[in-house]
Structure formats: C-alpha cells, structure tokens
Amino acid sequence: MTKALDTSHLWMPFTANRQYKAKPRLMASAAGMHYTTDDGRKILDATAGLWCVNAGHCHPKIIEAVQKQVAVMDFAPTFQMGHAKAFEAATALAEMAPEGLNRVFFCNDGSEGVDTALKIALAYHRMRGDAGRTRLIGRERAYHGVGFGGIAVGGIAGNRKQFGPGLAADHLRHPLNIEKNAYSRGLPLHGVEMADELEQRLLALHDPSTVAAVIVEPLQGSTGVILPPKGYLEKIRAICDKHGILLIFDEVITGFGRLGTAFGADFFKVKPDMMVCAKGLTNATVPMGAVIVKQEIHNVFMDAAPADTIEFFHGYTYSGHPVAAAAAIATLEVYKEEQLFERAAEMSSYFEEAAHSLKGLPFVKDIRNLGLVCGIELDGIAGKPGARAYDLFNQAFWDKGLLLRTTADVIALSPPLIINKAQVDEIFGSIADLLRSIK
C-alpha cells in the first residue's frame, strides 16, 4: 500500500496553498513535451515548465552532462578560487550574446540576476565618480523576480505591497492598450509614444543625473504577455544614451530562443548595457542565472579598484556551481546543434494562426503573440479577478491533459521550442473546447 503524501510541511511559492492541497496536481516524471502525473496521466506542457524548459524535458545530452559532472566534482568555491566549467560556461554564453556584451557574472536564478544587475549599475556610476545616480526606473506590471531590488523596480502590486518601500525606484506606464491594439499579430502598431514619458515625465521629475539605470523586459511575460509597440525599445535606448543612463534588459523569459533568436535584444535589434538571463540557460535542469555585461562596464570596475583587491563586493555561494555550469554548456550546445532558435522562428507563424483562431470564442477579450509566446486575455467574473482563467487552467489539467499558466485573467502560453504542429493544434483545440464550456 502506497503511503499517503504528507503535504502539510511545504509552504509552496506563488500558490494558494490551502486550495492546492485540497486537490494536489502532482507531477511524477517528464520527457520531451510531456509530464506524467502521479496517477499516470500524460500532460502536454504548454508552458515549458515555467517559461524555462526550452529544449524539452530531460534532454539526454544535458542529463548526461549533469550526471558526469556531479560524479567528478560536486562543488567548488568561486570566491578566490575557480574551476574550468565556470569559465567555459561564461565563454559559451558570451559567444551567444550580442557583440560587446562579453563579461558574465553567474548567480542562481533571475531574481538574483536582477539584484546583481542593479548593484552593478549603482556601483558602476559610483566608481566613475557619479555617486548621485541612485534612482532606478522600471515599468508598471513588470516582473523582475522577488528580491528587494526586483520588487522595487517591478510593477506587480501583489508582489510589493507586503514588504515596504524598498529601493528608490519609479515606474514607466506599461504599453498595453487593448482599445487600440486588440488582437495584434506580433508587435502592436500603436503606442510608441509611451516611451517618451521616460524623458518627459520621469526624468523631468527626478533629474536624469540622479538615475542609474532603466530595466525592462523586452516582452513582459509574467504579467500576462504585454508586447512593446513598434519602435518603443529603440526610443528607450536612445533616451538612456542621451542621459548617460544604463539600460538593462531582463531576458529571463525572452532569452534562449523564445522569440526565435538567442535573445530579445537580437530580435528587436536593440543592444542593452546589461542582460539578465536564467531559466533556459540550463534548460531548468539545474538552477542558474547570469548577468551579461558590456566590457566597458566591467573595465570600469577593473580600472577603478586598487591593485590586488576585490573589485565588486558581491556574489553567491553557488555562483558558477560546477553542476549548473556543466548543464549550461550542454544546453547551449543543444540549442545550436538542434537549431532550436531557428525552429522556433519557423514555428511562430503557425503558432500565431492557431492562437488567433480563438478570436470570437466566449470570454476572449484579446490575443497577443510574439514568437512562441501567447497571451489570451479573458473577460473576468465580476468581483472574482482571475477566477475564470483559473477555472480554465484547472479543467485543462484534469480534463484535457494540458498544462497552462494563468496570471489574473490571462492564459499565458510558452511551449518548449521542440513543439510540433500537431501539438500546437492540440493546445489551442483544447483551449477552444474549454472556452465553450466554462462559465
């Protein structure tokens, strides 16, 4: 007789714990595009786990690399010490990044990556003798992880309200405008002027000489898939250049093929000063994050610090962990060998057509897509925000064998890059069935 699972001790993240534990959704194994539940049902993964399993679950090459490494060396410190795998992983990542972004600081996830990037920005200006630049600018509805830096520049109210004011930060308005851009295919046509408020409102209010950095997601994913209007990111870059402000791209979701390119910076042809990445860096096999920095920024730290002293007082016990580094090296090789970024680019038009086939179905308010990302916004239930999307998510799991993600009343899709057309059809066909049946 199988012993009943005790769920009482685990405090689950971003979860309605009491609701979940009343009827747990338990995964037992995974391979390729599917999970298998504890009761033996196959679940088609339409979210790449949590925006992260880009090469599909349990990829043999990545698993082998992890198994080999953990048997050779389980851990080595990277404070005043090193190991080859960390340097090799940094080189592989720098070679994939846009030209000029070639210095890599490893951490353990996107939250740590964002806090690291913000600390680099603040320290960079101080080391240049510009210590008055202490303000940071994010965007409304932005998600930059859950560290104190990340929630300061983030703009999702629920992630901030319990924890006090945090760092000095202000926020651009988000560019979502359903009235003008509903059912956009790819980038919205209207709203580029939203970028102007960085200069006309925020910098005018705070004085640009006090601003250290602006951080944006090239595509706002976790909040419900908000796409930048055409020309928007180019304007943000130009304003930052004009005023000596660093531009940070949070590429935790857009990195590693989600838009059909290595990074969102490549898709939009806008080069930031720093990029934060995680999730797909190791195909989520082992936790790892990184900040990729322009060499000129790194040089300031190297040149300003006295000889034989630590240049940047920051780091994590597991920065460049050997097992994570081995997973990263293998993952980046898989992306290249299997041409997964190119595959995602080729699949994006079919994915787009399937997504927009839902237009006109009950409760569908808007559909937004780019690359292999889609947000389906639903009309909510009065007085019960998020309830309708949650009902669809729950029924998809139990009745359709389908894993979706919801945020408020938006269904967010981001399948592994290995997805085929039949699986695209299955995802959107199941969602269509559910939209016709839910209340």
Side-chain angles (χ1 to χ4, degrees):
M1 183 175 179
T2 304
K3 182 181 178 182
L5 181 67
D6 183 356
T7 63
S8 63
H9 297 286
L10 178 62
W11 191 347
M12 299 175 70
F14 279 112
T15 297
N17 278 251
R18 293 162 297 174
Q19 181 189 55
Y20 174 87
K21 291 176 182 181
K23 189 177 181 181
R25 294 173 291 272
L26 292 169
M27 306 301 197
S29 63
M33 282 291 301
H34 292 85
Y35 285 102
T36 301
T37 63
D38 65 328
D39 58 354
R41 296 182 306 114
K42 271 199 163 186
I43 305 292
L44 179 59
D45 184 1
T47 62
L50 201 56
W51 310 85
C52 49
V53 188
N54 292 2
H57 292 278
C58 293
H59 192 288
K61 179 167 183 168
I62 304 168
I63 298 302
E64 182 183 10
V66 168
Q67 291 173 334
K68 283 185 175 180
Q69 180 57 48
V70 77
V72 171
M73 183 170 64
D74 55 349
F75 176 77
T78 52
F79 293 7
Q80 303 286 23
M81 296 294 293
H83 60 89
K85 281 288 189 286
F87 293 99
E88 292 168 7
T91 298
L93 188 53
E95 289 174 349
M96 187 172 281
E99 185 178 357
L101 279 87
N102 57 21
R103 297 296 184 265
V104 177
F105 195 103
F106 282 123
C107 52
N108 300 293
D109 58 24
S111 292
E112 290 183 358
V114 166
D115 280 16
T116 298
L118 298 178
K119 290 175 78 172
I120 290 172
L122 294 169
Y124 164 80
H125 290 296
R126 178 176 288 273
M127 297 186 88
R128 292 173 61 249
D130 202 359
R133 291 187 181 267
T134 57
R135 188 171 297 279
L136 304 163
I137 293 176
R139 276 194 300 194
E140 294 174 356
R141 293 186 62 176
Y143 180 75
H144 296 297
V146 294
F148 275 98
I151 64 172
V153 293
I156 298 177
N159 294 354
R160 297 162 50 88
K161 64 184 180 182
Q162 293 180 316
F163 310 114
L167 298 175
D170 209 337
H171 299 79
L172 285 159
R173 287 182 295 165
H174 65 76
L176 179 62
N177 186 335
I178 294 178
E179 183 179 343
K180 290 186 177 180
N181 290 320
Y183 301 101
S184 292
R185 290 173 177 253
L187 299 182
L189 297 177
H190 302 283
V192 65
E193 69 280 357
M194 297 287 287
D196 292 328
E197 79 160 18
L198 172 59
E199 186 169 45
Q200 296 172 1
R201 182 173 70 86
L202 296 184
L203 297 186
L205 173 65
H206 296 297
D207 181 347
S209 69
T210 69
V211 177
V214 172
I215 181 168
V216 296
E217 302 154 274
L219 173 156
Q220 291 178 256
S222 296
T223 193
V225 186
I226 298 178
L227 308 177
K230 287 186 177 180
Y232 175 93
L233 292 174
E234 292 89 333
K235 271 199 169 187
I236 295 291
R237 173 75 274 182
I239 293 168
C240 289
D241 286 342
K242 178 179 176 181
H243 296 286
I245 298 167
L246 295 180
L247 177 60
I248 304 167
F249 275 4
D250 183 338
E251 296 255 13
V252 172
I253 283 176
T254 50
F256 309 108
R258 183 55 51 194
L259 303 183
T261 54
F263 294 97
D266 301 308
F267 181 89
F268 291 103
K269 297 181 171 57
V270 176
K271 188 183 296 186
D273 300 296
M274 287 185 265
M275 298 192 307
V276 179
C277 61
K279 293 189 184 290
L281 173 57
T282 62
N283 202 44
T285 306
V286 181
M288 191 179 213
V291 183
I292 313 173
V293 181
K294 277 187 175 178
Q295 185 171 339
E296 297 91 323
I297 294 173
H298 178 267
N299 288 349
V300 167
F301 285 81
M302 299 302 112
D303 295 342
D308 302 323
T309 63
I310 295 170
E311 299 91 2
F312 182 42
F313 284 83
H314 179 72
Y316 302 95
T317 299
Y318 302 125
S319 292
H321 190 286
V323 180
I329 293 165
T331 299
L332 299 183
E333 289 176 354
V334 166
Y335 291 146
K336 290 180 180 179
E337 291 167 1
E338 300 185 10
Q339 298 185 308
L340 291 185
F341 304 164
E342 295 83 355
R343 180 189 176 93
E346 292 169 3
M347 187 62 70
S348 62
S349 60
Y350 191 87
F351 186 79
E352 177 177 89
E353 289 297 324
H356 284 271
S357 72
L358 302 179
K359 182 178 180 181
L361 290 180
F363 311 117
V364 175
K365 180 179 180 180
D366 189 23
I367 297 168
R368 305 182 285 273
N369 72 280
L370 193 68
L372 290 186
V373 181
C374 176
I376 305 158
E377 184 151 353
L378 306 181
D379 288 316
I381 299 171
K384 296 181 178 180
R388 177 163 284 137
Y390 176 82
D391 286 347
L392 194 148
F393 154 80
N394 200 38
Q395 289 186 42
F397 180 83
W398 292 111
D399 300 337
K400 295 290 188 179
L402 179 64
L403 178 63
L404 307 176
R405 174 147 179 78
T406 65
T407 173
D409 274 301
V410 179
I411 301 161
L413 304 175
S414 57
L417 310 185
I418 64 171
I419 191 170
N420 61 39
K421 290 181 179 180
Q423 290 161 342
V424 171
D425 293 342
E426 181 179 348
I427 290 169
F428 289 103
S430 295
I431 292 172
D433 291 343
L434 291 167
L435 286 168
R436 295 186 184 102
S437 65
I438 62 171
K439 297 178 180 180

